[in-house]
Amino acid sequence: LDTMASFHVLQPEMPKGLGFLTSVYTDQPYYKYQLKSSDMDTYFRYCAKDCVVTFEIAFKVEKELQEEGLEKFYREYVHALIEPLIAMEAKGVRYDNQGAIELRKEIKAKCKELQESLNKEVGYEINIGSNKQMCKWLYEELKLKVQMHKNKVTGKTNPSANEDALEKLSKLYDIPALGMVMELRRLSKLLSTYLDIQLDSDKRIRCSYNITG
């Protein structure tokens, strides 16, 4: 039984990491901070706790699956994916390296052309990856409606030029430069995620597959 995958079946809207499950199903005090300890005895105790709490949690989650009538669903549709996905991760995905080289050249040329057009629209060279520069251009120079974003870690809310903000602004204002920024970011992500990558020695890509994604 996989504790993360099985709890996701029970409570798909809740966090499913081992730290959270430990707080729900056991009396073990919070210990995840010990992972960063330089003391090896503390580190080994951390590893041991990971083993024993997972074992304890598994029995309790399995009991809940049975009580909710979800054990069959978990076994047949979720747990059944674990082995084939591990096999897929190990085998890797074939990669057309020559095709990627050609596509990389094409996309880099498009990015250069788009960046030049964007700079002309803005009036100076702008870094679309800089939230500070983008916010200055959008909200101070163009005087557009400020879009805010809440930082999940700090809880602070600040002006944002992320994808959501640009999508909203493009619906509110007919400004061609906004479309240029979004297209530039899309192409840049395509380059960094799929084309500017390091292949394994057998020229294949390996990644992880998230059952509870």
Side-chain angles (χ1 to χ4, degrees):
L1 182 132
D2 183 289
T3 55
M4 181 177 281
S6 54
F7 184 74
H8 184 64
V9 169
L10 283 169
Q11 303 287 350
E13 76 284 3
M14 299 292 282
K16 50 195 174 288
L18 192 58
F20 179 77
L21 296 187
T22 300
S23 72
V24 173
Y25 290 106
T26 79
D27 294 327
Q28 174 66 43
Y30 182 73
Y31 66 93
K32 284 294 180 180
Y33 65 91
Q34 293 175 339
L35 175 62
K36 297 178 181 179
S37 175
S38 57
D39 175 63
M40 292 309 291
D41 184 59
T42 302
Y43 179 72
F44 288 139
R45 284 178 182 275
Y46 163 84
C47 295
K49 287 175 185 175
D50 259 6
C51 292
V52 295
V53 299
T54 302
F55 193 65
E56 181 179 352
I57 291 164
F59 285 103
K60 294 177 179 177
V61 170
E62 188 170 41
K63 185 182 177 185
E64 280 191 28
L65 285 172
Q66 292 165 355
E67 290 171 351
E68 297 294 333
L70 290 168
E71 188 178 25
K72 186 172 185 287
F73 173 83
Y74 165 72
R75 291 290 173 188
E76 293 182 3
Y77 294 97
V78 181
H79 192 86
L81 287 172
I82 296 173
E83 281 194 28
L85 289 182
I86 289 173
M88 286 166 62
E89 290 177 7
K91 187 174 183 180
V93 181
R94 285 188 300 174
Y95 189 80
D96 181 358
N97 198 41
Q98 188 55 44
I101 290 170
E102 293 167 9
L103 188 57
R104 191 183 299 122
K105 287 178 184 176
E106 183 185 324
I107 290 178
K108 283 184 176 178
K110 282 183 182 177
C111 285
K112 185 181 178 184
E113 186 182 326
L114 261 175
Q115 184 68 57
E116 288 172 356
S117 298
L118 178 63
N119 293 342
K120 193 174 179 181
E121 286 282 332
V122 175
Y124 55 85
E125 189 171 339
I126 187 166
N127 178 7
I128 62 165
S130 167
N131 190 65
K132 187 177 180 181
Q133 271 195 44
M134 287 291 296
C135 285
K136 184 175 183 292
W137 171 57
L138 293 170
Y139 308 130
E140 292 180 27
E141 297 174 21
L142 296 182
K143 309 292 184 185
L144 305 185
K145 184 179 179 182
V146 179
Q147 305 297 311
M148 305 298 285
H149 174 73
K150 186 176 182 180
N151 188 304
K152 291 180 180 178
V153 178
T154 64
K156 291 182 179 178
T157 304
N158 295 302
S160 173
N162 64 15
E163 298 308 307
D164 287 340
L166 290 172
E167 284 281 355
K168 289 174 184 175
L169 290 171
S170 66
K171 290 174 183 175
L172 292 172
Y173 306 95
D174 184 19
I175 300 174
L178 293 176
M180 291 179 189
V181 172
M182 288 191 288
E183 180 63 5
L184 254 175
R185 285 187 174 176
R186 186 187 71 81
L187 292 174
S188 297
K189 185 170 178 63
L190 183 62
L191 274 173
S192 62
T193 308
Y194 301 107
L195 298 173
D196 290 337
I197 58 173
Q198 186 73 43
L199 298 179
D200 286 339
S201 58
D202 58 358
K203 305 300 180 188
R204 296 174 82 92
I205 297 175
R206 285 177 177 80
C207 60
S208 60
Y209 299 97
N210 188 0
I211 295 173
T212 61

